[in-house]
Amino acid sequence: STQSTGTSRPAKMAASAWQVPGALETLMADPGLSAELSQDSGFMAAVRKIMVFPACLPSKIHDPRIARANQLLCERSQATGGGDETSAMAAKSAGNSHFSRGELREALGCYEQGIAQGSDAEILCACHSNAAMVLIKLERWAEAEGHCNHALCLGGDGRTLDLSKVYYRRAIAREKLARVEQAHGDMLRAQDWYGNQLMRESVGFTTRQQLFLHAESCRLR
């Protein structure tokens, strides 16, 4: 409907705007919100949670203070160029180039920049997934899992996104966090998702990769 179309893009933009450096400082500069943040620890906790897990924003937007914070951060994002898909894609491409050269921290910085600037779910999902890939290389398991969670929230039905990579990366992170049962569940999801694409004869999907995911699932059983 026209109404839902009008609200979907701002919601996505706001989600990334909450993760831009200086977001909390922006809220503290607002007289009304500053007082609320200083006096209400529950409100401060909710704000910090959204900054770490922006996917929970829709469940909290009914609070008028969260709505006001959302408006401020969205306006700040637009004023500083946030939501620019061209810039987000460029940041993602730069991150891929750094990663291919083994420049992990530089790659991570680019993916985080893409997350901050993007508003398109597909670009955000890819940047979160790629950030998780880098964090796994850096052995920062909990952060990698968090980025995978974000990617899966944004990935929808996976028709245009390879969610098998996201499930696989989260499985690795969870195994390293000694949560083997959850890791096994994610590996099975990666295997099933990939297998469905293989059956559809999707371009780029191979039997060899499906066998690898099956072997990994068996290893974690």
Side-chain angles (χ1 to χ4, degrees), residues 6-81:
T7 57
S8 60
R9 182 173 174 83
K12 291 176 184 175
M13 181 182 293
S16 61
W18 283 77
Q19 291 189 306
V20 175
L24 184 58
E25 288 77 4
T26 297
L27 301 183
M28 291 298 291
D30 181 83
L33 288 177
S34 178
E36 291 284 350
L37 288 166
S38 300
Q39 298 170 14
D40 188 338
S41 59
F43 178 48
M44 174 64 85
V47 166
R48 290 189 180 279
K49 183 175 181 180
I50 297 170
M51 289 177 176
V52 177
F53 301 107
C56 73
L57 174 60
S59 68
K60 298 183 182 296
I61 200 69
H62 64 277
D63 184 330
R65 299 172 301 177
I66 295 294
R68 169 61 179 161
N70 187 57
Q71 179 184 359
L72 283 174
L73 293 177
C74 197
E75 290 173 353
R76 176 179 182 266
S77 178
Q78 291 176 313
T80 57

Side-chain angles (χ1 to χ4, degrees), residues 1-8:
S1 67
T2 302
Q3 182 177 1
S4 61
T5 301
T7 57
S8 60

Side-chain angles (χ1 to χ4, degrees), residues 11-214:
K12 291 176 184 175
M13 181 182 293
S16 61
W18 283 77
Q19 291 189 306
V20 175
L24 184 58
E25 288 77 4
T26 297
L27 301 183
M28 291 298 291
D30 181 83
L33 288 177
S34 178
E36 291 284 350
L37 288 166
S38 300
Q39 298 170 14
D40 188 338
S41 59
F43 178 48
M44 174 64 85
V47 166
R48 290 189 180 279
K49 183 175 181 180
I50 297 170
M51 289 177 176
V52 177
F53 301 107
C56 73
L57 174 60
S59 68
K60 298 183 182 296
I61 200 69
H62 64 277
D63 184 330
R65 299 172 301 177
I66 295 294
R68 169 61 179 161
N70 187 57
Q71 179 184 359
L72 283 174
L73 293 177
C74 197
E75 290 173 353
R76 176 179 182 266
S77 178
Q78 291 176 313
T80 57
D84 183 343
E85 298 314 313
T86 302
S87 297
M89 279 296 295
K92 174 177 171 288
S93 297
N96 293 344
S97 297
H98 282 300
F99 184 81
S100 68
R101 295 194 295 268
E103 299 164 354
L104 300 182
R105 298 187 186 283
E106 291 82 358
L108 180 60
C110 288
Y111 295 138
E112 289 176 339
Q113 181 182 350
I115 291 167
Q117 293 180 327
S119 61
D120 178 77
E122 184 171 346
I123 296 175
L124 289 171
C125 180
C127 286
H128 276 296
S129 179
N130 289 355
M133 171 182 65
V134 175
L135 289 163
I136 286 170
K137 292 281 187 181
L138 294 172
E139 300 185 359
R140 290 159 58 179
W141 316 119
E143 292 172 78
E145 181 190 21
H147 276 285
C148 288
N149 290 340
H150 289 317
L152 290 170
C153 285
L154 293 160
D157 58 12
R159 289 179 182 174
T160 59
L161 301 166
D162 185 355
L163 297 186
S164 67
K165 290 181 180 179
V166 186
Y167 284 122
Y168 174 74
R169 289 163 185 169
R170 192 169 71 172
I172 293 174
R174 286 179 164 178
E175 181 185 10
K176 294 297 184 179
L177 291 167
R179 286 157 41 205
V180 179
E181 185 175 349
Q182 288 183 332
H184 180 236
D186 277 340
M187 200 66 75
L188 287 174
R189 292 184 187 96
Q191 178 186 338
D192 290 345
W193 192 94
Y194 197 93
N196 288 335
Q197 299 305 308
L198 198 61
M199 289 178 65
R200 295 172 185 157
E201 298 183 350
S202 301
V203 176
F205 290 83
T206 65
T207 303
R208 180 178 180 181
Q209 178 66 8
Q210 175 68 357
L211 290 173
F212 168 75
L213 292 172
H214 175 70

